[in-house]
Amino acid sequence: MAKAHRSARGPRPSSIARVPGIDYAELDAMFGYALRRAQIAAFEAFARASDGIGITPPRFTALVILQTNPGISQSVLGDVLGTARSGAMLLTDWLEHRGLAERRHRPDDGRAWGLYLTPKGGRVVETLRRRVRQQDKRFAARLGGRERRELLRLLEKLAA
Amino acid sequence: MAKAHRSARGPRPSSIARVPGIDYAELDAMFGYALRRAQIAAFEAFARASDGIGITPPRFTALVILQTNPGISQSVLGDVLGTARSGAMLLTDWLEHRGLAERRHRPDDGRAWGLYLTPKGGRVVETLRRRVRQQDKRFAARLGGRERRELLRLLEKLAA
DNA sequence: TATTGTTATACTCTATAACTATA
DNA sequence: TATAGTTATAGAGTATAACAATA
């Protein structure tokens, strides 16, 4: 059976279906592996919601953070995303080149920029938030309400 | 405060601590984001267990799969890992160059290799499995037994 | 001195496509 | 024709290090 070509959109290969006839041994009982599989599925859901303009999870995170925390600096944005300053800078460039965000001089500190969404960025992030939230809900739809709350609680406990 | 240099071991930046004073908006209520954070934490636990010889999660998975499914082909290995054939081949090269796995001709099919662990590979994977399982257990130790079972069940339900 | 942003560089991972040899 | 493996290439993502301007 020919394997369907991948969409060339997401950075991940995905395709997490179990291969018939393969013994996965203890992998199925390990949290690291289970988390990876679930995260790939979540990433695919995200890709469906953000399809079209190259928004990746870190870019989406940055847009939300910029909307909720206007005037944040690139360094702090990097801290939030867990990337080096240089990465936060390239990400900011990407947003700025597309007219979604802008750098403004800070009166109090000549070294740092304050980052802000543009009006266009504000509209885009509003649409994105709605679609991503909706897709996230659809993604978790095979869990019941109690299960969803429990899963979020357990994940938070692990990551904290 | 100077940021500590990262260990240059893992492929991920990690550093998932929440930044004080930042409003994360609905990110905290989204499964995609929660999964990503938990997975980064799990990856750090994995890195602690596999430290030293460059074993990454996909390489560990490949070693376990090779031990449990001797004679598997590179294509099927790629299917299991969710990567293209070329990636499975580079991974196989990596294992072979380190004396952990070997390619053997198949009598029934002149195109495909059968992949096998070497004796050294068998010893290495045994040690790794023990350490990774232990670290995985330690990683989940902040959950109770019932919570751990519930989490695995919920993750499986999401990924299936 | 320390920090912010910047730039250049390099490395890892992995996809794609073309090629070969077998089936 | 189809499949397994191989090879070459390219792109994304991100770390590191050095530098200038500012604190």
Side-chain angles (χ1 to χ4, degrees):
Chain A
M1 165 179 27
K3 187 180 295 184
H5 279 193
R6 291 172 183 127
S7 72
R9 175 87 46 205
R12 288 291 178 76
S14 305
S15 174
I16 53 169
R18 288 243 178 30
V19 178
I22 294 295
D23 181 353
Y24 286 76
E26 81 260 36
L27 291 175
D28 285 326
M30 290 178 42
F31 292 94
Y33 191 73
L35 284 167
R36 182 178 129 79
R37 277 173 46 84
Q39 214 227 347
I40 288 175
F43 180 84
E44 288 174 339
F46 178 90
R48 282 192 292 275
S50 63
D51 203 51
I53 52 174
I55 297 291
T56 58
R59 285 170 188 159
F60 173 74
T61 301
L63 285 170
V64 171
I65 293 294
L66 253 60
Q67 187 178 48
T68 321
N69 307 268
I72 194 179
S73 72
Q74 285 182 192
S75 288
V76 174
L77 180 59
D79 288 344
V80 171
L81 297 173
T83 68
R85 286 201 306 284
S86 55
M89 145 124 206
L90 293 174
L91 173 49
T92 304
D93 281 350
W94 191 92
L95 296 174
E96 199 172 43
H97 289 152
R98 277 152 191 81
L100 303 176
E102 61 183 14
R103 295 168 160 100
R104 291 189 209 157
H105 283 292
R106 277 190 176 175
D108 58 314
D109 189 334
R111 298 171 300 179
W113 300 104
L115 304 182
Y116 297 86
L117 290 185
T118 61
K120 176 185 173 188
R123 289 192 299 275
V124 167
V125 76
E126 277 304 326
T127 304
L128 272 175
R129 285 172 81 151
R130 197 167 351 103
R131 289 170 58 184
V132 170
R133 256 197 318 256
Q134 200 172 42
Q135 189 60 261
D136 195 72
K137 189 169 289 187
R138 208 171 297 154
F139 165 68
R142 58 180 78 179
L143 304 183
R146 190 200 61 78
E147 290 179 322
R148 286 199 292 270
R149 283 187 298 276
E150 180 73 352
L151 178 57
L152 278 181
R153 187 183 74 81
L154 295 175
L155 290 175
E156 179 61 27
K157 215 167 163 183
L158 275 185
Chain B
M1 167 178 28
K3 185 179 299 186
H5 279 194
R6 294 178 181 124
S7 72
R9 175 86 46 204
R12 287 292 178 76
S14 306
S15 174
I16 53 167
R18 289 244 178 30
V19 178
I22 294 296
D23 181 353
Y24 285 77
E26 81 259 38
L27 291 175
D28 284 325
M30 289 178 44
F31 291 94
Y33 190 73
L35 283 168
R36 181 177 128 79
R37 278 174 45 87
Q39 215 227 345
I40 289 175
F43 180 82
E44 288 173 339
F46 178 90
R48 283 191 293 275
S50 62
D51 205 48
I53 52 174
I55 297 291
T56 58
R59 284 169 188 160
F60 172 74
T61 300
L63 285 170
V64 171
I65 293 294
L66 253 59
Q67 187 178 49
T68 320
N69 306 269
I72 193 180
S73 71
Q74 283 181 193
S75 287
V76 174
L77 180 60
D79 288 344
V80 171
L81 297 172
T83 68
R85 287 201 306 280
S86 56
M89 153 134 196
L90 293 174
L91 174 48
T92 303
D93 280 351
W94 192 92
L95 296 174
E96 199 171 42
H97 288 152
R98 278 152 190 82
L100 302 176
E102 61 183 14
R103 296 169 160 100
R104 291 190 211 156
H105 284 294
R106 276 191 176 173
D108 58 311
D109 190 334
R111 298 170 300 181
W113 300 106
L115 303 181
Y116 296 87
L117 290 186
T118 61
K120 177 185 173 188
R123 289 193 299 275
V124 167
V125 76
E126 276 305 325
T127 304
L128 273 174
R129 284 172 81 152
R130 197 166 352 102
R131 290 170 59 183
V132 170
R133 256 198 316 256
Q134 199 173 44
Q135 189 59 261
D136 195 72
K137 190 170 288 187
R138 207 172 296 154
F139 164 68
R142 58 180 79 179
L143 304 184
R146 190 200 60 77
E147 289 177 325
R148 286 199 292 271
R149 283 188 298 276
E150 179 74 352
L151 178 56
L152 278 181
R153 186 183 75 80
L154 296 174
L155 290 175
E156 180 62 28
K157 214 166 162 182
L158 277 184

